[in-house]
């Protein structure tokens, strides 16, 4: 254990707004020095930087296994080219941000407000910045004094009536509950805290949980994004496949960060290597995952209710009575929280639950006459069950829901989504309810406009190839394809296998995963799957075939090695499911922008809600300009309940304004200004299947 140095207490005497750091409240040399904190307790040596000997800020892991503050390490490596501890060769771009678990442990360290003379509050380190901007009297007074000095004398009365709004210095300040100073490229519009919101919540709750499953020969049923070679850094679950092992288990959810697999850390390995680890055959699969649980209420509830209100629904219902039949309106329906109170644990609720063939999740089929749910009257037929007692059921099964209900003590908390026409049908019952629900309109996709064009993320690129073949008219090319303008995510037409009997296999230029642009001059990029098949068949009948393809490239040798290994296995052992094969998620990142299909997602919320997502991207010192990607979606927030945004989606525009070339300081205020409605233009690639 080590006891960190305590900086001398800041007094308001002699302290000026211009000299005070707006994040830690102390005086230091801006970006040249780390923030200063007054820690209350001893800090474990494992959480201390080996350079400054203080608790880590923006912790960065080296390949040799040491951890330093980002500022300390970057300053050191400007002068040297080795690790300060073991002197192994080291460059900044070899290092990666520490795991979410480490950052959360650091965030929870207790610190004192630096203005102890007038404000003797203590809090978690991640809450100091929100405290300064919203509650600290010294910070508020210095800010108001600075604003008065800026204001012309005739405007002072008008300024006082405005209620002391933040000036330019605080207008663009992000108050993340994760990192007091964000890792490079990370912005968290979900985690901002305003004065109106401080009474509703304190900080994000994230837990590291162990999930064990008997796997045998089954696929896990997850789509995965991220990796150290991508802007996301961590390995994140994008989606859970219906009826898969993971779906039946019910403990994993989209947005979970996978930290370890059978004692192998995924914190600092590339995407391709992580996929290999997750695909290893093993009878018992043991995962350590970091799972977001939403927000904790700042004020404790009445005794006896602490464990019954699901934290994942606090943001959706914070301004509503706990038994209100009304909820938060979203463009896919209305989210409602309902609590049913049983007389004893064994009393049935009188609810029939079903699944639908065309949509994931659990739905209410019928409420039994005389049952507890029917008497309560707040649940309706065809409601989609999002969560029960805080457990996510958006990808669950009726069996999962029944187990949770049976394990409940007296109170059962439902969070459901109701379609606009379900309210009228609520009391009618009948088995036809599931078929008459109004379906959400099909998303409208469009080609990525030229004003939204950008370079691929650092480490990814693509190259075009042209292949000209002379062949017998009846000889097959020997390829199978997938994708097309009508498929999910509007993937381009790509090759799923190159069979050893075809002429393309003998040529060797075309590979599994290559994207088809044209054949004999016929454009394939805007065709549906069936149209592309028809064109290929027609053109293959010619004696001369000219194919134009794009191959996407990852500069990480491990990622390329994984893709090459898969391609080789496919040639040696052709499988019946080759038509269902898809490239790794990272392979799509290198695809040129003109091949992208975008869609607009309109999100709605109330003023007191956060949007509910975090973003990585923008300018990074080690990677240059990066696109913006969704990294985390917080349970219970508008984005989570809307369900259309996924981890790994790229944000290409906000309200029609391109994000290309933006940095954090430009995008943060743009998102913060959207109080009730925002339109995000996104490109979505399916995660790698494991």
């Amino acid at each position: 254990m080590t006891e960190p140095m305590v900086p001398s207490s800041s007094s308001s005497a002699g302290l000026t707004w211009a000299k005070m750091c707006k994040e830690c409240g102390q005086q230091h040399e801006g970006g040249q020095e780390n923030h200063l904190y007054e820690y209350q307790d001893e800090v474990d040596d494992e959480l201390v930087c080996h350079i400054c000997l203080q608790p880590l800020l923006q912790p960065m892991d080296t390949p040799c296994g040491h951890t330093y503050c980002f500022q300390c390490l970057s300053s050191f490596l400007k002068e040297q080219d080795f690790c300060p501890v073991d002197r192994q060769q080291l460059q900044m771009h070899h290092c990666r941000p520490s795991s979410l678990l480490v950052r959360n442990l650091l965030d929870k360290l207790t610190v004192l407000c630096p203005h102890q003379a007038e404000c003797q509050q203590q809090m978690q380190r991640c809450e100091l910045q929100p405290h300064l901007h919203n509650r600290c009297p010294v910070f508020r007074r210095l800010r108001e004094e600075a604003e008065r000095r800026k204001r012309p004398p005739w405007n002072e009365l008008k300024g006082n009536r405005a209620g002391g709004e933040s000036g330019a210095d605080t207008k663009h300040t992000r108050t993340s509950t994760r990192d007091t100073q964000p890792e490079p490229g990370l912005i968290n519009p979900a985690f901002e805290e305003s004065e109106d919101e401080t009474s509703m919540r304190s900080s994000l709750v994230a837990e590291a949980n162990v999930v064990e499953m008997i796997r045998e020969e089954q696929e896990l049923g997850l789509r995965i994004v991220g990796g150290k070679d991508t802007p996301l850094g961590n390995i994140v679950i994008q989606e859970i496949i219906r009826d898969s092992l993971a779906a039946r288990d019910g403990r994993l959810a989209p947005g979970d960060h996978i930290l370890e697999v059978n004692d192998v850390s995924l914190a600092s390995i590339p995407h391709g290597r992580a996929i290999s680890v997750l695909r290893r055959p093993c009878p018992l699969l043991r995962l350590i995952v970091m799972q977001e649980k939403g927000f904790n209420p700042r004020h404790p509830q009445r005794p006896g209710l602490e464990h019954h209100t699901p934290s994942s629904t606090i943001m959706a219902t914070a301004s509503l009575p706990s038994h209100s039949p009304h909820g938060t309106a979203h463009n896919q329906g209305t989210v409602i929280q309902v609590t049913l109170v049983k007389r004893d644990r064994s009393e049935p609720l009188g609810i029939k639950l079903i699944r639908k063939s065309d949509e994931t999740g659990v739905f209410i089929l019928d409420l039994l006459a005389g049952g507890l749910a029917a008497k309560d009257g707040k649940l309706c037929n065809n409601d989609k069950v999002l969560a029960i007692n805080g457990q996510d059921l958006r990808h669950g099964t009726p069996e999962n829901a029944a187990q949770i209900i049976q394990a409940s003590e007296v109170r059962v908390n439902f969070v459901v989504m109701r379609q606009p026409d379900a309210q009228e049908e609520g009391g009618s019952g009948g088995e036809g309810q599931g078929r008459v629900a109004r379906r959400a309109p099909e998303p409208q996709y469009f080609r990525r406009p030229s004003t939204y064009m950008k370079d691929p993320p650092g480490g990814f690129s693509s190259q075009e190839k042209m292949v000209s073949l002379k062949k017998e008219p009846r000889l097959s090319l020997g390829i199978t394809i997938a994708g097309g303008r009508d498929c999910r995510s509007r993937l381009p037409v790509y090759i799923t296998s190159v069979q050893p009997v075809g002429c393309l296999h003998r040529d060797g230029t075309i590979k599994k995963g290559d994207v088809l642009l044209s054949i004999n001059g016929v454009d394939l990029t805007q065709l549906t799957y069936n149209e592309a098949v028809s064109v290929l068949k027609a053109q293959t009948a010619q004696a001369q075939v000219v194919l134009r393809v794009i191959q996407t490239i990852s500069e990480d040798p491990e990622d390329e090695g994984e893709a090459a290994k898969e391609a080789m296995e496919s040639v040696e052992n052709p499988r019946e499911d080759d038509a269902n094969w898809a490239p790794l998620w990272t392979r799509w990142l290198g695809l040129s922008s003109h091949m992208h299909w975008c869609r607009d997602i309109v999100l709605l919320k109330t003023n007191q809600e956060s949007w509910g997502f975090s973003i990585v991207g923008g300018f990074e010192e080690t990677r240059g300009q990066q696109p913006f990607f969704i990294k985390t979606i917080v349970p219970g927030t508008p984005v989570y309940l809307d369900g259309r945004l996924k981890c790994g989606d790229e944000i290409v525009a906000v309200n029609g304004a391109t994000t290309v070339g933006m940095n954090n300081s430009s995008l943060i205020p743009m998102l913060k200004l959207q109080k009730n409605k925002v339109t995000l233009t996104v490109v979505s690639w399916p995660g790698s299947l494991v």
Side-chain angles (χ1 to χ4, degrees):
M1 302 286 289
T2 181
E3 185 171 354
M5 295 183 293
V6 177
S8 58
S9 299
S10 298
S11 168
S12 57
L15 184 64
T16 65
W17 176 256
K19 293 182 179 180
M20 184 176 67
C21 174
K22 308 309 182 292
E23 293 192 38
C24 70
Q26 304 273 7
Q27 292 184 235
H28 61 84
E29 294 296 324
Q32 300 177 14
E33 294 182 5
N34 269 333
H35 297 296
L36 302 173
Y37 297 95
E38 301 184 33
Y39 296 92
Q40 278 290 84
D41 306 309
E42 291 187 352
V43 179
D44 191 283
D45 287 342
E46 298 296 324
L47 298 177
V48 172
C49 173
H50 294 295
I51 297 177
C52 68
L53 303 181
Q54 293 294 298
L56 291 156
L57 294 170
Q58 292 181 259
M60 301 290 289
D61 295 335
T62 67
C64 51
H66 301 105
T67 306
Y68 307 95
C69 302
F70 173 81
Q71 186 66 46
C72 295
L73 185 60
S74 59
S75 298
F76 181 86
L77 292 179
K78 287 177 181 177
E79 305 293 333
Q80 307 293 343
D81 62 351
F82 54 80
C83 173
V85 172
D86 59 18
R87 303 183 72 83
Q88 290 190 33
Q89 289 294 309
L90 181 65
Q91 295 182 8
M92 196 65 191
H93 67 269
H94 294 149
C95 305
R96 301 297 298 176
S98 296
S99 70
L100 191 61
L101 176 61
V102 172
R103 300 205 303 271
N104 279 342
L105 290 173
L106 289 163
D107 277 348
K108 292 179 180 179
L109 295 176
T110 304
V111 299
L112 289 172
C113 176
H115 310 301
Q116 294 177 37
E118 299 178 51
C119 180
Q120 300 180 354
Q121 297 293 315
Q122 64 181 41
M123 65 221 72
Q124 292 182 355
R125 192 175 80 177
C126 64
E127 294 183 334
L128 178 60
Q129 186 183 358
H131 164 79
L132 292 171
H133 285 268
N134 296 313
R135 298 180 291 281
C136 178
V138 177
F139 191 96
R140 183 183 299 116
R141 186 179 68 248
L142 292 173
R143 181 175 63 197
E144 290 173 352
E145 289 174 356
E147 288 175 353
R148 279 198 295 270
R149 284 194 293 272
K150 290 179 183 178
R151 258 187 231 125
W154 68 82
N155 201 33
E156 185 149 0
L157 179 60
K158 179 180 178 182
N160 288 337
R161 287 175 182 164
E165 290 185 3
S166 301
D169 290 305
T170 58
K171 182 178 180 182
H172 301 303
T173 301
R174 179 175 63 86
T175 56
S176 166
T177 62
R178 284 292 189 87
D179 295 306
T180 306
Q181 182 176 346
E183 64 185 74
L186 177 64
I187 64 173
N188 291 306
F191 311 145
E192 297 157 5
E193 185 169 17
S194 68
E195 232 169 318
D196 294 335
E197 292 171 337
T198 55
S199 61
M200 291 198 307
R201 61 183 174 87
S202 55
S203 59
L204 276 172
V205 179
E207 298 176 355
N209 294 316
V210 177
V211 176
E212 292 185 343
M213 287 179 275
I214 305 298
R215 185 175 186 175
E216 298 175 348
E217 298 299 320
Q218 304 174 67
E219 282 193 337
L220 188 53
L222 302 177
R223 290 196 181 275
I224 303 296
V225 298
K228 80 160 191 180
D229 52 336
T230 75
L232 292 181
N234 293 346
I235 296 295
V236 185
I237 298 176
Q238 181 195 62
E239 186 181 359
I240 296 178
I241 304 302
R242 181 173 176 169
D243 294 327
S244 65
L245 175 64
R248 290 192 297 271
D249 180 82
R251 286 176 290 175
L252 297 175
D256 290 351
H257 292 223
I258 303 179
L259 307 180
E260 288 186 12
V261 180
N262 290 349
D263 299 323
V264 177
S265 173
L266 302 188
S268 58
I269 64 177
H271 184 85
R273 172 77 192 284
I275 297 301
S276 297
V277 172
L278 283 161
R279 286 176 176 170
R280 286 176 186 168
C282 57
L284 177 65
L285 187 68
R286 186 176 186 272
L287 304 176
I288 298 181
V289 295
M290 181 64 67
Q291 299 179 309
E292 298 284 4
K293 299 298 182 183
F295 294 95
N296 264 342
R298 187 171 295 281
H299 302 296
Q301 299 171 321
R302 296 190 302 276
L305 300 184
E306 299 90 309
H307 303 292
H308 297 293
T309 300
S311 61
S312 62
T313 64
I314 290 171
M315 286 305 293
T317 59
S319 59
L320 305 169
S322 61
H323 294 285
S324 171
H326 306 292
T328 305
H330 294 270
N331 44 342
Q332 286 193 330
T334 301
V335 177
I336 301 164
Q337 179 180 342
V338 176
T339 301
L340 299 178
V341 181
K342 302 186 287 186
R343 285 190 293 267
D344 57 68
R345 182 170 182 170
S346 61
E347 182 182 10
L349 301 183
I351 300 175
K352 284 187 178 180
L353 300 172
I354 62 165
R355 64 198 312 173
K356 293 184 178 181
S357 60
D358 58 349
E359 190 172 353
T360 59
V362 181
F363 294 82
I364 296 177
L365 172 65
D366 197 8
L367 305 177
L368 300 182
L372 182 60
K375 290 178 181 177
D376 181 79
K378 299 183 182 73
L379 292 173
C380 296
N381 297 341
N382 203 48
D383 284 351
K384 180 174 182 177
V385 180
L386 302 177
I388 299 178
N389 288 352
Q391 298 193 42
D392 188 349
L393 287 170
R394 292 180 304 153
H395 300 268
T397 65
E399 292 76 19
N400 297 146
Q403 290 171 2
I404 298 169
I405 293 171
Q406 289 168 6
S408 303
E409 295 293 336
V410 177
R411 303 172 70 89
V412 186
N413 294 283
F414 285 83
V415 180
V416 300
M417 178 174 285
R418 181 168 302 162
Q419 296 298 331
D421 56 355
Q423 185 74 36
E424 301 168 9
E425 302 166 355
S428 61
E431 297 197 9
Q433 298 297 331
R435 292 190 293 272
V436 296
R438 185 177 302 147
R439 294 181 59 81
E442 188 70 19
Q444 297 298 312
Y445 286 84
F446 52 92
R447 278 298 185 96
R448 186 165 180 153
S450 59
T451 52
Y452 296 172
M453 297 300 182
K454 54 85 187 174
D455 293 328
F460 299 92
S461 59
S462 61
Q463 64 181 22
E464 189 172 315
K465 298 184 293 186
M466 189 81 75
V467 177
S468 180
L469 295 171
K470 290 184 178 180
K471 54 179 282 299
E472 295 295 328
R474 294 183 180 179
L475 184 62
S476 168
L477 289 177
I479 59 173
T480 58
I481 65 168
R485 189 169 51 83
D486 54 337
C487 80
R488 183 184 178 192
S489 299
R490 296 305 190 268
L491 297 177
V493 176
Y494 61 92
I495 297 172
T496 61
S497 68
V498 181
Q499 303 297 331
V501 296
C503 54
L504 283 176
H505 177 257
R506 293 197 299 269
D507 179 81
T509 307
I510 301 296
K511 305 291 185 184
K512 182 177 181 178
D514 287 353
V515 174
L516 287 169
L517 300 180
S518 68
I519 180 169
N520 290 344
V522 180
D523 185 12
L524 300 173
T525 61
Q526 302 197 50
L527 302 184
T528 66
Y529 172 78
N530 288 331
E531 290 170 346
V533 170
S534 299
V535 169
L536 285 170
K537 285 181 177 179
Q539 296 301 321
T540 303
Q542 307 296 321
Q544 178 87 13
V545 174
V546 179
L547 281 173
R548 192 161 62 95
V549 302
I550 281 183
Q551 181 182 41
T552 54
I553 301 168
S554 167
E555 294 176 8
D556 193 295
E558 292 188 67
D559 194 19
E560 283 296 296
E562 172 68 15
K565 177 184 174 184
E566 246 190 288
M568 183 61 66
E569 288 176 352
S570 175
V571 170
E572 294 175 354
N573 304 294
R575 299 174 297 177
E576 292 182 3
D577 63 346
D578 274 339
N580 297 322
W581 177 89
L584 297 181
W585 175 76
T586 47
R587 299 298 291 266
W588 297 119
L589 299 185
L591 201 61
S592 301
S593 288
H594 70 274
M595 297 290 295
H596 293 183
W597 288 86
C598 303
R599 61 172 172 154
D600 287 338
I601 294 179
V602 180
L603 300 170
L604 305 173
K605 72 177 179 71
T606 67
N607 282 330
Q608 292 185 330
E609 290 180 298
S610 299
W611 287 116
F613 61 93
S614 67
I615 300 175
V616 287
F619 180 78
E620 295 183 21
E621 200 168 301
T622 57
R623 289 175 173 265
Q625 187 66 42
Q626 295 286 296
F628 289 98
F629 291 93
I630 302 287
K631 181 171 185 178
T632 302
I633 294 177
V634 183
T637 56
V639 167
Y640 172 92
L641 297 169
D642 180 89
R644 289 176 294 170
L645 275 183
K646 299 186 185 307
C647 295
D649 285 358
E650 180 189 343
I651 297 181
V652 302
V654 177
N655 289 343
T658 179
T659 60
V660 177
M662 278 191 182
N663 52 30
N664 295 350
S665 60
S666 301
L667 189 56
I668 294 170
M670 179 182 292
L671 288 165
K672 288 177 68 175
L673 287 171
Q674 316 309 314
K675 296 298 184 183
N676 301 99
K677 179 180 178 181
V678 66
T679 300
L680 300 181
T681 303
V682 302
V683 171
S684 182
W685 303 115
S688 304
L689 186 62
V690 294

